[in-house]
Amino acid sequence: MDQATAWTRVRGNLRLSAGQRLFDQWLKPIVLIPGEDADTVRLGLPSAFMTNWVKNHYADRLVMEFRSQLPGIRTVSIETVDARATRELAADAVAVPAAAPVAPSAQAGAGERPRFDSRFTFDRFVVDTSNRVAFNAARGLAEPGKPRFSPLYLHSTTGQGKTHLMHAIGHAFLDACPDATAIYMPAERFMFEFVRAVREKDTFSFKARLRGVDLLMIDDLQFIAGKESTQEEFFHTVDEFMREGKRLVIAADRSPLALEGIEARLASRLGSGLAADIKPAELGLRRTILDRKLEDMPGAVVPGAVLDLLATRISSSVRELEGALNRLVAYAQLNNAEAVTIEFAESVLGEALRGGQRRITIDEIQKAVSSHFDVKQLDLVSQRRAVAIARPRQIAMYLAKRLTTRSLPEIGRKFGNRDHSTVIHAVRRIEELRGTDSEIDGAVRSLMRQLEA
């Protein structure tokens, strides 16, 4: 595969993950600059301001995306080129053959096979109690034959897997029914195309294209809140799909009746099918997701203790969690780091780890550890050195370093005025034991789950 073909695929992935508005504003203007070095990709933007923004927000992601297409890529250079050169490169790129790009919306017309993201399939979706109902409902809707329910309404906070399930439905349904047609699009795109159809006085074609498919999926419904004419058209689209018993999937950030700025009759229609929520991923699920994600990164080695750190600290969004792992691996590769340590992870991810951290106190940690090991809390801060006391004390210090923002001297003072070097020794010792002693590792995992809850 050459760089031009890889860039076509990378653009498709970025468009899908970033959303149409952000993509159009910041990522769409990027052009591929031809180069002689096979291990270096050069990307150009028409202004220094845009170049700096993309560097700050997408440099690591671009490296990971290109490496997923061309493993030999080592560097992605983001440069400022003049506007004329940008236009010329963009014009040249039109002639480049697109090898199965991932489109922002998977659409099927006559003779066209919809393109859904190959990463988002049912077998790549990690299931537990927080998302099992939504997963089973999505898989059921994708089965051939008359659907048992429609519409399927998926709702959750951002980054919990709604879009993944919608693409998985598309893959499974079209595999089972190769002659079927499908459309996936964000609600914002629905609104844009509808408004354009009204302006061009061609609403018939718009309605025929959407209502003529066998499977329609609309993501991020909350974006049409307050848009009366768009909601009117969407209501009639929903009504027709329900009347004909066809498959309809809607996703939003809250339940139908909790949507603000959405007409009551539309909310009622959406709630008449099956509404399935996806709750925020718990610690165990987040850890499993990281393991699964790491399997898709050939050559990447991240110790279990570092994965535990990410799973514990980043709890608001699965997408954010996966992004943190992508960034960590990219930085390790770009810096030729021999080992991804906890200190390296904290230096790279910084605010991402601190932002998701619950306010856990050292006192809470000491109480949990003393209860788990059946020792007195006073023993943890005493000068006793018996192994039955010293090991729980080291674990408590380790957890204090990992789960709080306290400095090493502060932690030492909380454990009987010990020196910060004692805390460092305790942290390193427990890290070593977690790799060799399953009982210690299990105790630490159990205490982390307990403290986070």
Side-chain angles (χ1 to χ4, degrees), residues 72 80 122 148 196 266 268 335 375 387 446:
T80 302
F122 283 129
R148 289 176 292 170
R196 184 174 62 183
L266 176 55
S268 176
N335 287 281
V375 298
V387 175
S446 176

Side-chain angles (χ1 to χ4, degrees), residues 262-276:
I262 297 294
E263 294 181 4
R265 62 173 183 165
L266 176 55
S268 176
R269 285 287 195 282
L270 297 175
S272 65
L274 175 61

Side-chain angles (χ1 to χ4, degrees), residues 198-445:
V198 170
R199 288 175 179 170
E200 296 176 356
K201 299 181 179 180
D202 190 21
T203 56
F204 176 81
S205 297
F206 172 80
K207 294 177 182 180
R209 182 168 69 88
L210 263 66
R211 299 182 191 183
V213 297
D214 302 297
L215 168 65
L216 175 63
M217 296 187 287
I218 304 295
D219 206 351
D220 290 326
L221 184 69
Q222 67 273 8
F223 284 113
I224 65 170
K227 311 296 183 182
E228 293 183 5
S229 61
T230 301
Q231 287 187 43
E232 175 78 16
E233 174 59 27
F234 188 66
F235 171 80
H236 291 300
T237 299
V238 171
D239 210 36
E240 185 159 328
F241 266 78
M242 293 180 65
R243 186 167 58 251
E244 295 186 8
K246 295 198 295 184
R247 288 168 173 80
L248 176 63
V249 185
I250 311 296
D253 63 355
R254 65 202 72 181
S255 66
L257 297 179
L259 286 169
E260 299 178 0
I262 297 294
E263 294 181 4
R265 62 173 183 165
L266 176 55
S268 176
R269 285 287 195 282
L270 297 175
S272 65
L274 175 61
D277 68 326
I278 304 175
K279 298 180 175 64
E282 296 180 353
L283 178 60
L285 176 59
R286 297 198 299 272
R287 184 63 168 78
T288 303
I289 288 171
L290 289 175
D291 287 333
R292 180 71 64 83
K293 181 73 175 177
L294 197 60
E295 292 174 1
D296 297 332
M297 298 179 174
V301 178
V302 182
V306 176
L307 296 178
D308 287 342
L309 177 70
L310 269 61
T312 301
R313 297 283 185 87
I314 303 175
S315 58
S316 60
S317 165
V318 171
R319 185 180 296 127
E320 182 183 348
L321 181 66
E322 292 180 339
L325 181 61
N326 286 338
R327 184 179 179 190
L328 184 62
V329 170
Y331 266 72
Q333 293 174 342
L334 293 171
N335 287 281
N336 296 316
E338 295 183 0
V340 179
T341 64
I342 286 179
E343 286 72 19
F344 181 81
E346 289 176 332
S347 68
V348 169
L349 298 176
E351 288 299 321
L353 295 178
R354 290 189 289 273
Q357 188 172 2
R358 190 175 76 83
R359 293 289 183 178
I360 299 172
T361 66
I362 294 178
D363 185 60
E364 286 180 294
I365 292 171
Q366 290 175 342
K367 287 179 181 178
V369 171
S370 63
S371 175
H372 184 90
F373 290 99
D374 196 22
V375 298
K376 294 179 181 178
Q377 189 173 345
L378 288 175
D379 288 334
L380 297 179
V381 301
S382 72
Q383 300 303 312
R384 294 182 60 187
R385 297 186 177 182
V387 175
I389 301 298
R391 190 70 75 226
R393 182 188 296 131
Q394 288 179 328
I395 290 175
M397 289 181 178
Y398 173 87
L399 292 172
K401 177 64 172 67
R402 299 298 164 236
L403 302 180
T404 77
T405 56
R406 297 287 188 176
S407 66
L408 294 173
E410 287 177 315
I411 294 172
R413 285 194 294 270
K414 287 286 188 177
F415 284 86
N417 290 317
R418 285 176 163 78
D419 189 78
H420 75 279
S421 61
T422 304
V423 181
I424 293 174
H425 172 74
V427 171
R428 290 177 177 171
R429 182 59 180 151
I430 296 304
E431 284 180 356
E432 293 172 1
L433 289 173
R434 291 193 66 186
T436 59
D437 190 322
S438 59
E439 288 190 14
I440 293 293
D441 184 59
V444 171
R445 288 175 182 269

